[in-house]
Amino acid sequence: MNEFVHRFDATVLREYDIRGIVGATLHSADARAIGRTFGTLVRRGGGKKVAVGYDGRLSSPELAKACAEGLVASGIDVVDIGVAATPMLYFAVWHLDADGGIQITGSHNPPDYNGFKLMMGKKSFFGPDIQKLGSMAAKGDVDSGSGKIERKNILADYARRLLKDVKPGRKLKVAWDTGNGAVGVSIRAVVGKLPGEHFVLNEKVDGTFPAHHPDPTVPKNLEQLMNEVKRRGCDLGIAFDGDGDRIGAVDGKGRILWGDQLLILWARDVLKTRPGATIIADVKASQALFDEIVRAGGTPLMWKTGHSLIKAKMAELGAPLAGEMSGHVFFADTFYGFDDALYCGLRLLNIVANSEESLAAMRDKLPQLVNTPELRFECAEERKFKIVEEVKARLRSANAKLSDIDGVRVSTPDGWWLLRASNTQAVLVARCESANEAGLERLKSDLKSALAASGVALPDDVSAGHS
Ligand SMILES: [Zn+2]
């Protein structure tokens, strides 16, 4: 019988990852337990080797060390790739043919947070898989063994793989903002080999994030990049979240291109070599994206929000491209199908470098719809899913035209509005989109009344952003 028994704080085992506040809800003992339980599952599945990487947060090395100890105690061999962006760890799993991977990362969360993203084999490990680690730890249902730890530097191999898909074209001037996040480790090895001129901001990996918060879905975090693009006369600017799995971009005029706008450009590009292919986007994406996929000869598929869910759907359908409003974008036409924002940046450069048009001109030619950003507002955890169900039931009885893939996305002659419950926070998420301002106002008031009937007031100062 094993001595090992461990209980996690109730808040840390989440839908897509494990995440907590270091020293409060997340400790080294949790990291060790994750290693031990996950290692046990890998072994029971016939695996032997797990790759481990970690972001630049101050608490990451210690958590990574404890996690590796847990893995070897379960009999697993660990390949430690050191500080890396999350996609570099995903790459390690493919490249080293590991049986799983664990990235220690707090993504874009405040500096005192940290967490774990896991891969079992080549697939993401989420939802009930994560809950299972909790129940195994509580029961002490783990194996014992003695694996070994090997350090490996895969940066050169990783950079070579990303650069393999770069197409020659006109020389570009590009500003890159790694936001003191983990992409800082790999950015030089990649952009140093690109034609053109490249300016890197906030390259030094620093878990206190001194320049700005590393979340490119919040406009104020892109201000420094916008200024650099304008000051240097760059063709475009690219930004990353703290662990490099989400991308943000600005054109040469310093204007943001949101995830769904970028996806239009990538979809057109991918469909040139994959006519008729299915391209997946989440329920928050603009109607313009789905329409443009059709116009470019593709088959659009709207799917649930959540990078693990999108990745799983993509693998199921063999789709060559998928993405989310949040900036998680997955290429599987010539790449592995995981969300690597640095790779996405290179794919954007390919498009601009091989067009006579600037990114700004491409942006101006996109269908011009008016929409709200992603609106997020707090709602009691135990009420959030019920509210969405109530709204859905009332709309159904009123014969509204709706999609219930994830929450409720209602179509009206003015456009559409969305209401869904966040899987990860006590938050409701909404978005509205119309062809014009008057239509948008009507949609917002439809959304308000739908919420009011469930006793929820849509706050006037709802914040935009990503969890
Ligand atoms: Zn991230």
Side-chain angles (χ1 to χ4, degrees), residues 257-274:
L257 280 94
W258 297 107
D260 49 1
Q261 294 177 305
L262 292 167
L263 269 165
I264 294 177
L265 306 180
W266 285 316
R268 289 173 182 161
D269 188 48
V270 165
L271 287 166
K272 283 183 202 157
T273 52
R274 295 287 195 102

Side-chain angles (χ1 to χ4, degrees), residues 86 105-108 117 214 241-246 328 466:
T86 298
T105 176
S107 188
H108 59 278
K117 289 182 179 169
D241 79 331
D243 69 329
D245 57 6
R246 292 193 293 120
H328 285 283
H466 167 74

Side-chain angles (χ1 to χ4, degrees), residues 154-221:
I154 62 156
L155 179 56
D157 293 333
Y158 173 64
R160 202 175 301 124
R161 176 60 192 88
L162 297 195
L163 290 161
K164 198 177 111 189
D165 288 354
V166 170
K167 288 190 201 144
R170 70 185 162 91
K171 288 198 173 79
L172 300 175
K173 236 169 137 175
V174 185
W176 304 80
D177 185 355
T178 57
N180 302 104
V183 177
V185 169
S186 43
I187 191 82
R188 287 285 164 189
V190 174
V191 304
K193 299 254 168 61
L194 293 176
E197 280 185 88
H198 299 272
F199 309 99
V200 181
L201 299 171
N202 308 316
E203 179 178 0
K204 187 169 176 284
V205 178
D206 182 342
T208 66
F209 306 116
H212 57 75
H213 198 60
D215 182 353
T217 51
V218 178
K220 79 170 163 41
N221 297 331

